[in-house]
Amino acid sequence: MLDTLKVFRSQIEALLQPGERALFCGMAAYFAGHEELGVAAGEGADAVDVLLGVASPRMLERADQLVTGTSLLGWPGCRAQQLAAAVRRTTQSQLLVTDRRLAVLDTTDFTLLWDCPRADVLRVRRRGRLGQAGRVVLQLADGSALALVLGTLGTGRARRLVHALEQG
């Protein structure tokens, strides 16, 4: 498996602060499934919708949640929403974990898209699903959380991310 931390070592080191150590770098994706953004959920389906087979907003929301799970929990502007937006900004985004922070890099030009202190990642757990074996859920200090996919069939990258975030 390609170790992007080794491949991009010199470019990554140029982005680090003095004394900071890079522990993990790998591609991640955010698949927007069921998002709970602190906004009131849609009305429930009424009997006429069910009988006629019309998809009400609430029925569509539940179906989405059953297939993909909850992908983001928070409110507009929360850390989880910021992280999801940074990961989705480019197809070349990579998660970078250092001994001080979690960051998102654009490897087309090696710019920093987003970062937060490492202490703001309270918990990370692997939560694979069908077609998303490398799915992880990050709980952030502001109370928000999101799921990222680091592999569709393999779990290696997700395991390395969890290990890097649990170090220290």
Side-chain angles (χ1 to χ4, degrees), residues 45-52:
D46 61 28
V48 175
D49 284 349
V50 173
L51 291 173
L52 295 176

Side-chain angles (χ1 to χ4, degrees), residues 57-74:
R58 183 65 183 146
M59 286 175 65
L60 290 172
E61 184 180 312
R62 282 300 293 148
D64 204 25
Q65 186 176 10
L66 289 171
V67 173
T68 61
T70 299
S71 59
L72 193 144
L73 180 64

Side-chain angles (χ1 to χ4, degrees), residues 31-133:
F31 297 102
H34 178 73
E35 295 182 345
E36 292 184 22
L37 290 172
V39 178
E43 299 280 327
D46 61 28
V48 175
D49 284 349
V50 173
L51 291 173
L52 295 176
V54 177
S56 72
R58 183 65 183 146
M59 286 175 65
L60 290 172
E61 184 180 312
R62 282 300 293 148
D64 204 25
Q65 186 176 10
L66 289 171
V67 173
T68 61
T70 299
S71 59
L72 193 144
L73 180 64
W75 54 92
C78 66
R79 286 244 193 231
Q81 191 179 48
Q82 293 170 15
L83 176 53
V87 167
R88 293 175 85 178
R89 220 157 126 193
T90 174
T91 58
Q92 297 301 313
S93 62
Q94 303 273 335
L95 279 182
L96 173 67
V97 176
T98 75
D99 55 348
R100 297 182 191 169
R101 60 189 162 146
L102 171 66
V104 179
L105 307 177
D106 179 349
T107 56
T108 56
D109 58 2
F110 286 92
T111 54
L112 186 66
L113 299 176
W114 179 90
D115 71 340
C116 75
R118 176 88 173 272
D120 283 2
V121 181
L122 298 181
R123 187 176 194 184
V124 60
R125 299 178 84 184
R126 287 189 320 108
R127 290 287 183 247
R129 298 180 71 86
L130 183 62
Q132 298 179 347

Side-chain angles (χ1 to χ4, degrees), residues 24 95 97 124 136 150 157-165:
F24 170 85
L95 279 182
V97 176
V124 60
V136 296
L150 285 87
R157 199 177 311 135
R159 288 177 190 275
R160 288 194 311 276
L161 172 70
V162 169
H163 178 73
L165 285 168

